[in-house]
Amino acid sequence: MRQKIVAGNWKMNTDYDQGLWLVSEVVNMVNDEVLSDVKVIIAPPFTHLFGIKQLIKSAPKVRLAAQNCSSEASGAFTGEISCSMLKSIGVEAVIIGHSERRQLFGETNFSIKKKIKQALQAGLSPIVCCGETWDERNGGIHFQIIQTQLEEALFALNRDEIGKVIIAYEPVWAIGTGQTATPDQAQEIHRFIRNAIQEKYNSSIADSISILYGGSCTSKNAKELFSNPDVDGGLVGGASLKSREFVDIIKSF
Ligand code: 13P
């Protein structure tokens, strides 16, 4: 059985007190209401990570992720945060290659590949994002775009390493737009990603990797999206900032 996961990417939202309050609400609701074996991942801003780590100790289902990491291990890289620093405060996962980082901060498949390596070396689970723009989908090259993202960023990993990766399919046109991919569109791409992993590695690895959907995921559409055979959960942006809404998404399996 693949691990079911719902991850909340807070992006650059909440101040410290608001973040701690939001997590304590989520922790209480998850402890009281969530019976399934879903793993919940919270990815707050860097400044909140240590404080939130203390709060989630009472919530066995809740794990902590960063939203980004350095592609380097240590040294003269002003403003950067390394994977081993994250690991040292109890962070377990890191989102890598989000489309906002690709589009706004110049990240490429090459730099993403370096970050994935750093994460694995430090013992963090990389949550690796891929996805096409609207123009790419309209132009019929969305499969090709995703194949290239996988090949250039991910497929240099060996079998042990790839098994530790979580993949998030986030169509860029669905992020923050309210325009969710249909369950069929999500399933089609998730199947494509799993097939690509099977071809590159093998079917037991492909079957074991969790592939999350991200892009305007809400409590209204999560159930239908998550019911697809290759959709193992969600990477949730805006809806993860409201505790009730986020926990309702978690309960959609
Ligand atoms: P929204 O859920 O706000 O569309 O954001 C998705 C996302 O980018 C998660 O990483």
Side-chain angles (χ1 to χ4, degrees):
M1 267 296 269
R2 280 194 291 277
Q3 177 69 58
K4 300 202 175 306
I5 300 170
V6 175
N9 174 10
W10 293 6
K11 309 191 180 183
M12 199 171 72
N13 292 297
T14 73
D15 65 22
Y16 186 71
D17 288 343
Q18 289 166 337
L20 259 56
W21 181 250
L22 175 55
V23 166
S24 39
E25 286 184 333
V26 169
V27 161
N28 288 337
M29 288 184 201
V30 167
N31 283 346
D32 288 349
E33 301 174 28
V34 178
L35 303 174
S36 64
D37 63 352
V38 58
K39 187 195 278 188
V40 178
I41 300 178
I42 310 259
F46 283 125
T47 46
H48 304 19
L49 287 167
F50 185 76
I52 288 178
K53 181 66 192 179
Q54 314 314 311
L55 283 182
I56 63 172
K57 284 184 176 155
S58 60
K61 287 186 197 298
V62 182
R63 306 294 165 83
L64 192 58
Q67 296 174 20
N68 184 27
C69 63
S70 175
S71 58
E72 306 298 327
S74 67
F77 302 101
T78 300
E80 290 290 277
I81 293 181
S82 73
C83 289
S84 58
M85 292 172 188
L86 295 170
K87 180 75 179 175
S88 72
I89 59 162
V91 173
E92 290 165 90
V94 56
I95 298 172
I96 297 179
H98 192 281
S99 64
E100 286 150 18
R101 299 227 45 99
R102 293 177 190 257
Q103 292 191 323
L104 305 172
F105 300 97
E107 293 200 9
T108 62
N109 291 335
F110 177 69
S111 61
I112 290 162
K113 174 181 171 182
K114 287 178 73 180
K115 290 184 178 197
I116 296 167
K117 273 278 180 195
Q118 289 295 338
L120 290 168
Q121 269 163 17
L124 300 178
S125 305
I127 304 171
V128 180
C129 303
C130 61
E132 80 287 357
T133 64
W134 183 248
D135 283 350
E136 287 161 350
R137 177 168 280 264
N138 252 348
I141 57 167
H142 45 306
F143 292 109
Q144 200 181 311
I145 291 292
I146 288 162
Q147 181 77 34
T148 303
Q149 289 171 341
L150 295 174
E151 274 172 15
E152 293 186 354
L154 214 51
F155 283 178
L157 298 179
N158 65 33
R159 288 179 180 190
D160 276 352
E161 292 169 327
I162 189 83
K164 297 181 177 125
V165 169
I166 298 163
I167 295 177
Y169 167 57
E170 296 208 310
V172 180
W173 47 272
I175 295 178
T177 59
Q179 191 190 352
T180 318
T182 65
D184 285 350
Q185 284 172 325
Q187 169 58 24
E188 183 181 44
I189 299 285
H190 283 229
R191 184 73 239 165
F192 174 79
I193 292 170
R194 209 177 295 288
N195 280 343
I197 297 167
Q198 181 178 337
E199 269 172 40
K200 173 71 191 173
Y201 297 92
N202 61 43
S203 55
S204 78
I205 289 174
D207 284 343
S208 70
I209 290 185
S210 297
I211 307 178
L212 314 183
Y213 168 79
S216 299
C217 184
T218 67
S219 62
K220 301 227 160 27
N221 55 38
K223 209 177 191 67
E224 228 190 322
L225 284 161
F226 297 174
S227 65
N228 283 290
D230 289 294
V231 179
D232 305 308
L235 179 54
V236 184
S240 70
L241 295 168
K242 291 173 238 142
S243 52
R244 181 71 270 160
E245 175 72 3
F246 186 53
V247 175
D248 283 345
I249 294 173
I250 296 165
K251 289 163 72 182
S252 296
F253 286 107

